[in-house]
Amino acid sequence: MKEIGKTTADKITRRRFMHGAGAVAGATLATMTHGPFVARALGANERLGIGFIGCGGRSGAHFRTLHWLKTQAKEPIEIVAACDVYRPRLMQRIDGYGGKAYMDYRELLADPAVDVVCIATPDHLHGYQAIDALKAGKHVYCEKPVTHWRQFELTKELARVARESNCAMQLGTQAMEDTAWHQMRKLVQGGLIGKPIHAECGYFRVGDWGERGMPIDDPNAKPGPDLDWDAFLGDSPKRPFDVSRFFRWRMYEDYAGGPSTDLFPHSLTPVLYILGVKMPSLVVATGGKLRYEEREIPDTFNTLIDYPEGITVAVLGTQGNDYTATGFRGAPGRIPVIRGWDGSLTIQGEEIIFVPADGSKKKPQKFAIEHGEDFTGYWKDFLACCRAGRKQTLSPMDLGYCVQTALQMGMLGLRQGKVARFDTAKEEIVF
């Protein structure tokens, strides 16, 4: 069987990131690599300085949320810095919200005014930036997916660094703010459904992430002082500049993975949390480009994940159609169904529904959901974790490691036409 170890393409290296960096950035990186992983001690009401790595479309929601928390909710926070490899995008955020502007994220991490970083960059950059931020003693909010589909070794390393750091880390699966998942977890742990045996979830939407979803800001953009193409490439294959790749990166396999790694973290994270499982034993996936030919990555993806606890999880989805039999408060995701020997849990409207299995002596039940997803509340809880030195955020890295590994196994297996297995003893993916 082929093992996924530290291949040339997957080694944890800063070689490409160092290209073009100045002396300050190089010194900063050395400090972070050998640093104490310790965050600055904070008082209960002391101001937190927020720095943004990535100023694209997704970061806009984070800027707006934190600005609202500061100005309306009176949270003691300040937007103190932002970084992007494309200067026009960077300056648009700085002009709107203030703070220092950086083109190199390591210089932002060296800024003592930054206590918390929000990472909203292309997928293949997340892991490196999160590791460096934690080593610099910064609390980290990292958008999903936490790493690219080819970066299993980086995922594993980030999980290790997060465990050793005293900094809080939260992933961008904001649905974990929804109390439905926490209530369902308690019901499963309490034995309501009996022994869990099967679960299903997924994500359905329409969109190719082409011209409609990711517009090209400037068709005449070129690498230079205002656009750092090498920094954008990171550890991905070296290629000549391509304006579509730079602005519409979600369409390309070097930087993104389609439904599996971009959308499925939203669906799979709460399911694994509810079930309490860790690493899978076996993953198989099917799918491909069934509608959008312009892109490189699949638009349709279906994954079956087996766990050593005797549970199978099915994750289904396509970007070619957005219909779901029962929508969850208007969300495009497939409502999770958690099945056990004695019955099943799912959601209808604002209630958790228990449906007894055939032959079960249990009765149907309904449970009111305390509150739904709240992006502002998600950030507020994370900031509270940063202040209190509480590492167990609503979507921590240890859970993200399990989620991302299963999804990476599916993507790698589909590309090779093989079944992926996880060797727990060696902490490796094998085929």
Side-chain angles (χ1 to χ4, degrees):
M1 291 186 292
K2 183 178 179 181
E3 297 183 356
I4 296 295
K6 292 183 180 179
T7 64
T8 301
D10 195 33
K11 285 181 180 177
I12 300 170
T13 173
R14 303 296 196 276
R15 184 171 62 251
R16 290 177 178 169
F17 280 173
M18 290 300 293
H19 181 80
V24 173
T28 300
L29 181 58
T31 300
M32 291 187 293
T33 303
H34 303 289
F37 297 35
V38 175
R40 180 174 70 88
L42 295 164
N45 296 307
E46 188 175 353
R47 188 198 71 164
L48 284 172
I50 314 295
F52 291 83
I53 302 176
C55 295
R58 179 57 186 156
S59 79
H62 295 292
F63 272 96
R64 290 189 295 272
T65 296
L66 288 165
H67 179 72
W68 186 91
L69 282 171
K70 175 194 172 183
T71 59
Q72 303 301 313
K74 305 304 179 184
E75 280 279 327
I77 58 175
E78 189 74 34
I79 296 174
V80 297
C83 172
D84 199 277
V85 299
Y86 183 52
R87 194 182 304 276
R89 193 162 54 200
L90 167 62
M91 297 315 298
Q92 184 180 33
R93 297 294 186 208
I94 293 296
D95 291 344
Y97 296 95
K100 293 182 179 179
Y102 296 100
M103 290 280 287
D104 188 320
Y105 79 89
R106 292 161 299 182
E107 294 181 358
L108 180 146
L109 295 180
D111 188 336
V114 175
D115 300 302
V116 179
V117 296
C118 174
I119 299 172
T121 52
D123 301 357
H124 66 296
L125 304 176
H126 289 176
Y128 295 106
Q129 293 166 345
I131 287 173
D132 287 346
L134 290 170
K135 288 185 175 182
K138 313 297 185 182
H139 302 286
V140 175
Y141 183 116
C142 183
E143 269 297 341
K144 54 76 210 162
V146 68
T147 52
H148 189 267
W149 56 263
R150 60 179 159 76
Q151 294 173 329
F152 168 69
E153 287 294 329
L154 184 65
T155 316
K156 182 165 65 174
E157 174 67 5
L158 176 53
R160 181 192 68 80
V161 172
R163 284 193 298 268
E164 295 179 2
S165 171
N166 79 327
C167 301
M169 181 171 179
Q170 179 163 280
L171 304 185
T173 45
Q174 61 271 8
M176 291 301 291
E177 170 72 13
D178 196 318
T179 60
W181 321 129
H182 306 276
Q183 293 173 255
M184 291 170 78
R185 177 181 169 97
K186 289 180 180 179
L187 293 172
V188 170
Q189 290 176 334
L192 179 61
I193 67 170
K195 182 190 180 303
I197 188 173
H198 189 276
E200 62 179 289
C201 60
Y203 211 105
F204 297 86
R205 70 187 299 175
V206 173
D208 63 350
W209 281 319
E211 293 181 2
R212 288 190 306 161
M214 298 189 77
I216 294 175
D217 294 354
D218 180 5
N220 300 312
K222 301 289 183 184
D226 293 337
L227 194 163
D228 192 337
W229 176 241
D230 285 336
F232 168 83
L233 289 176
D235 71 349
S236 66
K238 289 290 186 181
R239 296 180 184 275
F241 177 74
D242 184 298
V243 71
S244 179
R245 283 179 172 270
F246 184 72
F247 288 108
R248 303 194 298 172
W249 54 268
R250 289 188 190 276
M251 294 173 56
Y252 301 95
E253 64 181 6
D254 287 351
Y255 328 114
S260 178
T261 53
D262 190 71
L263 300 177
F264 287 177
H266 286 305
S267 302
L268 186 58
T269 299
V271 169
L272 297 195
Y273 174 76
I274 291 167
L275 293 171
V277 295
K278 300 298 183 183
M279 289 299 186
S281 53
L282 179 151
V283 179
V284 62
T286 66
K289 293 192 295 180
L290 306 187
R291 178 170 178 175
Y292 302 111
E293 287 298 324
E294 181 184 12
R295 58 198 265 157
E296 294 180 354
I297 54 175
D299 55 43
T300 300
F301 210 96
N302 301 292
T303 312
L304 293 176
I305 311 169
D306 283 353
Y307 287 88
E309 293 86 352
I311 302 171
T312 293
V313 177
V315 193
L316 313 174
T318 181
Q319 288 175 258
N321 186 286
D322 62 351
Y323 175 76
T324 54
T326 49
F328 179 27
R329 292 195 281 272
R334 185 183 184 91
I335 291 178
V337 179
I338 313 295
R339 297 182 174 93
W341 289 3
D342 295 342
S344 304
L345 287 175
T346 189
I347 292 172
Q348 292 179 4
E350 302 298 327
E351 294 180 314
I352 299 167
I353 306 297
F354 170 68
V355 182
D358 186 27
S360 172
K361 295 181 180 180
K362 296 182 178 180
K363 302 296 183 182
Q365 296 185 58
K366 296 182 179 182
F367 306 88
I369 296 172
E370 294 171 11
H371 69 75
E373 179 182 324
D374 177 2
F375 189 50
T376 302
Y378 193 60
W379 256 107
K380 193 169 183 178
D381 186 85
F382 174 60
L383 294 171
C385 288
C386 298
R387 293 185 179 285
R390 175 162 49 93
K391 291 183 59 175
Q392 192 61 29
T393 62
L394 288 170
S395 190
M397 183 57 207
D398 56 356
L399 176 57
Y401 180 30
C402 300
V403 170
Q404 189 66 2
T405 297
L407 297 176
Q408 287 169 327
M409 290 169 68
M411 189 69 172
L412 292 166
L414 177 65
R415 290 172 61 83
Q416 298 185 33
K418 295 180 179 180
V419 173
R421 300 179 186 274
F422 192 78
D423 186 325
T424 305
K426 295 181 179 180
E427 205 172 351
E428 291 177 343
I429 301 171
V430 297
F431 297 93

